[in-house]
């Protein structure tokens, strides 16, 4: 039997889904070329990066935190992968040179991302720095490090194999989409069916009660931020691989897109309430909107205005229909 | 590049004064080259140069000018964020008696800058446009990717291009979208455009980063060999791509040449020279598969 | 039952002291907890009961003194360690995760997991249902606690503590939010626990409960231990004397107030259920409250009393129907602002969620609803505000180091007094009280009763919800009984008896707590 | 007599102040030319815009909300002022042309800003759209409108009189500084000594309790967002006036700077706790940092890294010293 909240939750999901379907229908009739298998896959591949970041962001926000560093972490870990793969690692100190295989480079990149996330977590739990500040600082630091590592230039020409994740298909489905699907699947399972997942809701719902029930709140937060960092690195892998190059500006401003996706998906910024499925819908709404407006050939100047308006509408539909606290 | 900076720092001992390099953005490799070259050249000439990143924000740029004026710099090597917006900043410097040498981008005012070493974006794109028409043999569908919509160079380039291309009714622009001079955005935008217009023949991009993104999108769609991509800047990737026959043409601006000239003029100014021509146009050269041999990243083979 | 036997002492507190930024909450308190016994602890608001329990259960880490468990000195780094040592606590404030289900709350931190590490909900729901059945709470373990009412949530808290299968169960005012029926059930449970040798520490302000279940009574006053003795050796008055530190006249009895004209009139007031179609949470309720009169509103948990008060106060304009009359004239109360404008005040049931802004100082909290009173030349005057606040701090004997203290740091009871002060400061003509003495010590209770009757004398019309029969029968001039939102009876308190009232209160469709 | 919490409050303020002083001292000894009257005024004038935005942001955050649109609103109202002043307003529909005096243009710009703020407020209160989404949408919309209004080009040559606010001095003090001083002064007075101010804290501290105490929560929020919009417009006035031109990209990314200033200043993003004074300190910390690093000749890429690190340190000092919950 469903409760008030299940109903609401369902309703919310359903509502943003409604907004999404509405958009799809409108674009399908108005924008020729929008409703096609090609474009279907295209939208999916184009949201894949934002989706990876947003899943991590969802976990973070569910604990009542926020992560502004996802974009820069994406850039740095992408650059690390590209750099190691292209130039290897020189350690003049020991006049040593380390070459990297694709796998080695990718894994190192993922490690870097996770480490940066862990660092966020430590700042937030040990030094008790508000998540907003801690991750904002990381955002600047990681961006600076990226520019230093790349010397401000793009690292290009990373080769076929590395391009696999970003460009290839597996069983007819783009590898990027497989990757996101896996990420989303794991996240949903973890949130719904593991202790860790429930503790995330507990920490976000009532941190004090969580502590009093003996949960190790700090450890939970550490894990969540580390995961967010790792997923940003996955995003970095996808971007770098699909562009066959790592640019120092990669991921600039992605933090807002991803937070937007999460919130449009019905997750509350105060923590404790929300779902990864909602986030998927949120990401789709943004992706469909971007694609549709371009295919409709909306003049560049108008795109922003319309995009903003549509997002307001999409969320308003939710709220109006789930009215009553 | 760290090394370069050290070498510049190494000259401090006999430093003849401070020179500020205020650059519109370091988000784009092209400008990084511009700034680094200016800094290095100034260093070689015995000055201590510092780079300021305006991050495409005229207000930040104005802060930099204020700092430079208070900091008692001898000259400013300046790459403006906005031809109009930056005028006030240059004026301020002039009133404070600090000469400003504009590089690559102009400020729309006479006699405020000591000299303006300009890469003529408009003319460059006119030439590019003419080559475009030739390559398209005067007919076909094309897409234009604009840069940052608030950036006057975005429009200089677009206007220069259209001043030629629009005279040929056979050439139809099926889509014009902004991609913020960004590689990733360019790829995503063009991918979407291709959904509605699978049959385009060419893409004109407001800079090389976008050209690379556009090429990536076409490659992903398996159209790389059917659609011609045109860029602008002369960035490393694009020069290589032209050599590999991936991209058709770009307009080579000479960041290094311009930066060096600016540094040298600043040196002369400090040594007392005053009569600089207001505007020193540095022609943008069309780089194509035919003449690619002559060029390298950001410049000519010869003077590299 | 001889208490001298030391072998059944499981837990000892040795001269425990604890201060909060200068305020000594506990001052060298020693205490012995006996296995298989109900060890009751009483004391006025702010005496230090909860603080002591928080120390015993590992919530507060910094304190002086020593805790001895089974003869071994222990120091808990966190609540979890206390749990692992078999100490469970039901905190005074609810500590539930609103968005999680009942089962998840009951087993928070100790979920059942299958071999592959996934939560085994089937087992958890089964267990939860079992435990809740023992507590006679028949709700679906899958629903989120945010959908429950205070009373039901309190029961879930108790279930949580029980599920720990602890050797020592600390209950900090477990009965403050539940009504007679649940209390009976709880007591039965406590007896079975002690029978199994579990040590129960029981904190309450309802002294008559002591004589039903307590084996020993320990009295705290101002953070000091006053005395500890077997229940047989003490009388109600002894305990009160020890708590208050002076003699106190017996349970307050309100003087009969002469009737005059109606101030508040309620006509066919209905409130539709948030979700269920044509089901009413409040169902055609009508009554009058005269100036100088106290109307008692009784009902079991879930009877709809809170909703009724909320409706009168203009909180549900969309879902409600019927008329509200003031001095016989119909008024439109569309919002609390309107209600206050009409001179209605509402002391809510849940002080933390609805009554207080915890970060605010005592002064700011008291003046919040009548801030214009503290203005001078359009600007707030700290002087006036503090004077106003101090006035009420004295009148209600609010225990706080200063009016600048954050209400967050006041003891539960004192927080409640602050809420009442907030409304008195608005000089209301009609005062709605929802469980006004919940969690308040006997001394303060009497003050509040006296206050209520003073206000009544001063011509206020008072509508008071209470789950405590003796209280309602003592204060109210008339009593209206609600059951499942319907008005089932109305008595003059002189004519009312506990039997009559309970009979009217028990729902016809049985199942005292349903959702 | 001071209580625990006054002490804490003081301490917090004092702490970020400490961090600030520390930085000033370090820069004064390490960066020659930092400790000078010139540079003193320079820092003050350079933070003036961020300070205006941050004061509005403080009010918004105190109610538990957030405003991401400050940067774009700044741009649009600035552009409106410049446009009206330079080109007046043409209404072809009524073939009518309206010219504007400096004052007229400025007032209209301020009105536009306030209106956009009010619009934010309406979205948030009436349609119950989460502040983050509502203001994010406004951020995009206002940016688009700015580009439409300016046609993507800067509007320049606004003349002496208009330049007054941004460039001139009054009694030796830059007019920009006077403006901020006034804004800050009013804000502090309002928060500490008026009902409105007290209600802001109440709404942020416990919205339900505030509502039940008879506060008109919606009206309070509406006002707060309107004020935030108006203050963004003031920021727009300062920027445009000092640059003698309105650029379509003005104020891009300012929302993060201003939120950072507020949070570094010790105001909690969950609302109900904080102060304008703290925000002033926060803004100063950022301003001094920028100035110091530049005078120290730190290369741009390193600046980001160091900036992030210092911000972490500054806040960490706070937290460590105010430890104990
Ligand atoms: N976190 C805290 N910070 C500051 N003072 C506190 C804190 N917690 C409790 N106190 C103070 O310690 C004293 C004891 O509080 P405690 O909650 O133990 O009283 P209590 O006996 O439980 O009262 P009640 O019966 O009302 O619950 C009170 O004066 C209270 O103000
Ligand atoms: N949060 C809620 N969600 C759904 N229904 C509720 C909720 N709270 C109360 N109800 C409904 O309203 C009815 C009355 O609840 P209410 O809390 O007013 O009872 P009450 O008489 O005040 O008991 P209590 O003493 O616990 O406050 C309940 O029977 C329940 O059906
Ligand atoms: Mg207590
Ligand atoms: Mg109730």
């Amino acid at each position: 039997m469903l409760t008030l909240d299940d109903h609401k939750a369902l309703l919310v999901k359903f509502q943003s889904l409604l907004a999404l379907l509405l958009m799809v229908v409108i674009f399908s009739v108005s924008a020729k070329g929008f409703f096609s298998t090609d474009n279907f896959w295209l939208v999916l591949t184009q949201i894949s990066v934002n989706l990876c970041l947003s899943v991590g962001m969802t976990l973070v926000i569910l604990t009542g935190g926020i992560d502004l560093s996802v974009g820069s972490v994406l850039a740095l870990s992408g650059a690390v992968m590209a750099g190691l793969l292209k130039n290897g690692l020189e350690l003049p100190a020991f006049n040593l040179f380390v070459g990297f295989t694709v796998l080695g480079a990718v894994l190192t990149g993922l490690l870097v991302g996770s480490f940066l996330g862990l660092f966020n977590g430590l700042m937030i739990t040990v030094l008790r720095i508000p998540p907003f500040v801690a991750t904002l600082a990381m955002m600047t630091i990681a961006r600076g490090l990226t520019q230093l590592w790349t010397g401000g230039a793009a690292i290009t020409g990373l080769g076929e194999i590395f391009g696999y994740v970003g460009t290839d298909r597996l069983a007819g489905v783009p590898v990027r989409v497989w990757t996101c699907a896996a990420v989303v699947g794991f996240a949903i399972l973890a949130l719904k069916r593991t202790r860790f997942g429930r503790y995330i809701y507990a920490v976000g719902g009532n941190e004090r009660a969580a502590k009093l029930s003996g949960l190790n709140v700090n450890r939970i937060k550490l894990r969540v931020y580390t995961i967010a960092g790792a997923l940003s690195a996955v995003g970095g892998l996808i971007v770098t691989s699909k562009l066959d190059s790592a640019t120092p500006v990669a991921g600039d401003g992605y933090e807002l897109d991803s937070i937007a996706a999460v919130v449009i998906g019905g997750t509350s910024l105060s923590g404790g309430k929300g779902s990864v499925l909602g986030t998927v819908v949120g990401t789709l709404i943004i992706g469909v909107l971007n694609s549709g407006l371009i295919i409709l050939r909306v003049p560049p100047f108008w795109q922003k205005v319309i995009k903003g308006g549509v997002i307001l509408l999409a969320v308003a539909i939710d709220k109006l229909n789930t009215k009553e606290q | 590049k760290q090394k370069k900076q050290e070498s510049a720092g190494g000259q401090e001992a006999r430093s003849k004064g401070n020179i500020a390099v205020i650059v519109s953005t370091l988000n784009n490799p092209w400008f990084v080259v511009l700034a680094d070259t200016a800094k290095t050249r100034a260093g070689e000439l015995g000055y201590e140069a510092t780079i300021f990143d305006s991050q495409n924000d005229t207000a930040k740029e104005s802060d930099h000018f204020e700092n430079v004026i208070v900091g008692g710099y001898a000259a400013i090597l300046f790459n403006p964020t906005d031809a109009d917006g930056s005028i006030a900043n240059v004026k301020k410097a002039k009133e404070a008696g600090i000469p400003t040498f504009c590089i690559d981008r102009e400020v729309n005012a006479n006699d405020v800058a000591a000299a303006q070493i300009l890469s003529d974006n408009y003319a460059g794109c006119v030439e590019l446009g003419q080559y475009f028409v030739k390559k398209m043999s005067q007919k076909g569908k094309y897409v234009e990717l604009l840069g940052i919509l608030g950036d006057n160079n975005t429009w200089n380039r677009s206007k220069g291009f259209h001043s030629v291309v629009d005279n040929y009714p056979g050439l139809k622009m099926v889509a014009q979208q902004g991609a913020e001079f960004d590689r990733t955005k360019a790829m995503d935008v063009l991918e979407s455009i291709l959904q509605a217009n699978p049959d385009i023949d060419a893409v004109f991009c407001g800079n090389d980063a976008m050209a690379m993104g556009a090429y990536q999108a076409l490659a992903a769609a398996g159209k790389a060999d059917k659609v011609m991509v045109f860029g602008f800047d002369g960035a490393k990737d694009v020069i290589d791509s032209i050599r590999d026959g991936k991209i058709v043409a770009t307009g080579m601006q000479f960041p290094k040449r311009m930066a060096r000239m600016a540094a040298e003029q600043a040196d002369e100014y400090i040594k007392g020279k005053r009569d600089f021509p207001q505007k020193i146009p540095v022609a943008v050269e069309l780089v194509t598969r035919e003449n690619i041999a002559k060029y390298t990243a950001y410049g000519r083979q010869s003077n590299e | 039952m001889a208490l001298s036997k030391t072998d059944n002492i499981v837990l000892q507190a040795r001269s425990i002291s604890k201060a909060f930024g200068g305020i000594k909450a506990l001052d060298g308190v020693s205490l012995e907890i006996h296995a298989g016994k109900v060890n009751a602890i009483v004391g006025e608001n702010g005496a230090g009961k909860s603080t002591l329990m928080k120390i015993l259960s590992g919530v507060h880490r910094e304190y002086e003194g020593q805790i001895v468990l089974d003869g071994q000195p222990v120091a808990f780094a966190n609540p979890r360690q206390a749990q692992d040592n078999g100490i469970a606590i039901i905190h005074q404030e609810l500590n539930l995760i609103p968005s999680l289900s009942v089962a998840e709350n009951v087993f928070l931190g100790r979920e059942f997991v299958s071999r592959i590490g996934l939560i085994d909900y089937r087992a958890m729901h089964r267990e939860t249902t079992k435990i809740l059945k023992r507590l006679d709470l028949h709700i679906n373990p899958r629903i989120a606690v945010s959908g429950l009412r205070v009373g039901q949530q309190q029961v879930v808290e108790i279930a949580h503590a029980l599920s720990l299968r602890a050797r020592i169960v600390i209950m900090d005012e477990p009965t403050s939010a539940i009504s007679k029926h649940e209390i009976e059930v709880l007591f039965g449970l406590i007896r079975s626990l002690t029978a199994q040798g579990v040590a129960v520490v029981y904190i309450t302000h309802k002294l008559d409960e002591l004589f039903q279940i307590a084996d020993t009574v320990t009295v705290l006053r101002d953070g000091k231990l006053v005395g500890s003795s077997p229940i047989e050796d003490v009388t109600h008055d002894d305990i009160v004397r020890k708590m208050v530190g002076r003699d106190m006249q017996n349970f307050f009895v309100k003087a009969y107030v002469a009737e005059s004209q109606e101030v508040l009139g309620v006509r066919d007031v209905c409130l539709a259920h948030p979700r269920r179609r044509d089901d009413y949470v409040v169902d055609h309720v009508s009554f009058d409250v005269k100036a100088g009169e106290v109307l008692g509103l009784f009902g079991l948990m879930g009877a709809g009393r809170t909703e009724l008060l909320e409706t009168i106060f203009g909180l549900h304009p969309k879902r409600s129907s019927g008329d509200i009359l003031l001095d016989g004239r119909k008024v439109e109360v569309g919002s609390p602002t309107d209600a206050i404008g009409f001179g209605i005040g509402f002391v809510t049931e849940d002080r933390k969620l609805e009554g207080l802004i915890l970060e605010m100082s005592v002064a700011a909290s008291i003046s919040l609803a009548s801030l214009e009173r503290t203005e001078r030349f359009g600007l707030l005057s700290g002087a006036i505000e503090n004077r106003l606040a101090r006035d009420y701090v004295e009148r209600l004997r609010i225990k706080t180091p200063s009016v600048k203290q954050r209400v967050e740091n006041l003891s539960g009871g004192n927080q409640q007094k602050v809420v009442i002060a907030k409304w008195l400061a608005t000089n209301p003509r009609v005062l709605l009280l929802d469980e006004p003495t919940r969690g308040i010590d006997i001394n303060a209770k009497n003050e509040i009763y006296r206050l209520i009757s003073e206000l009544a004398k001063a011509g206020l019309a008072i509508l008071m919800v209470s789950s405590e029969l003796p209280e309602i029968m003592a204060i109210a001039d008339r009593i209206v009984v609600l059951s499942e939102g319907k008005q089932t009876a109305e008595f003059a308190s002189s004519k009312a008896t506990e039997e009559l009232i309970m009979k009217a209160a028990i729902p016809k469709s049985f199942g005292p707590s349903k959702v």
Side-chain angles (χ1 to χ4, degrees), chain C residues 256-331:
Chain C
Y256 173 76
V257 179
E259 312 240 320
S260 65
Q261 91 290 7
E262 294 94 16
V263 178
L264 175 69
V266 174
R267 297 279 178 280
D268 296 323
V269 165
C270 298
L271 180 67
H273 191 280
R275 279 168 283 104
R276 291 196 286 275
R277 289 239 167 290
D278 29 82
D279 176 2
Y280 291 96
V281 176
V282 176
D283 197 350
H284 295 88
V285 176
S286 305
F287 56 75
D288 292 307
V289 190
K290 302 191 174 60
E293 182 184 45
V294 177
L295 179 67
L297 198 57
F298 185 80
L300 299 182
M301 241 179 60
R305 300 161 299 173
T306 297
E307 264 76 357
L308 174 55
L309 296 196
E310 288 179 354
T311 310
I312 297 172
F313 198 61
L315 267 170
H316 306 294
K318 289 198 181 59
R319 279 195 286 139
S320 60
S321 61
D323 300 343
I324 308 293
L325 312 180
L326 278 174
D327 308 321
R329 274 185 292 96
K330 183 171 182 304
V331 291

Side-chain angles (χ1 to χ4, degrees), chain A residues 1-8 189-216 271-274 323-325, chain C residues 54 59 79-80 83 91 93-101 104 107-114 117-121 140 142-147 160 274-275 315 318-319 515:
Chain A
M1 166 213 172
L2 285 171
T3 70
L4 188 63
D5 299 11
D6 302 354
H7 277 305
K8 262 206 212 134
L189 187 72
L191 278 180
K192 282 199 187 312
R193 296 298 307 279
T194 71
R195 295 170 140 213
F196 174 58
R198 304 320 291 174
Y199 293 168
I200 290 178
Y201 282 94
V203 170
N206 181 346
E207 184 162 341
R208 185 164 173 288
K211 267 213 194 69
L212 290 177
S213 322
L215 303 194
N216 186 336
K273 280 192 240 65
K323 204 148 197 151
E324 98 100 79
Q325 55 290 13
Chain C
K54 284 177 183 166
V59 176
R80 188 50 170 274
Q83 273 182 29
H91 286 282
E93 321 69 28
L94 291 170
N95 279 300
L96 298 171
I97 316 281
S99 54
L100 293 191
S101 76
E104 285 169 335
F107 285 99
L108 188 57
R110 300 163 294 104
E111 295 77 3
F112 301 166
V113 288
S114 64
L118 296 185
I119 296 181
D120 178 354
Y121 276 107
N140 182 332
R142 290 169 190 76
I143 69 175
V145 289
S146 58
H160 173 70
R275 279 168 283 104
L315 267 170
K318 289 198 181 59
R319 279 195 286 139
V515 155

Side-chain angles (χ1 to χ4, degrees), chain A residues 214-232:
Chain A
L215 303 194
N216 186 336
V217 173
N218 280 357
R219 195 197 299 141
I220 295 163
K221 286 186 177 171
L222 277 179
R223 285 203 197 144
V224 166
Y225 283 94
T226 312
I227 293 175
L231 288 178
S232 307

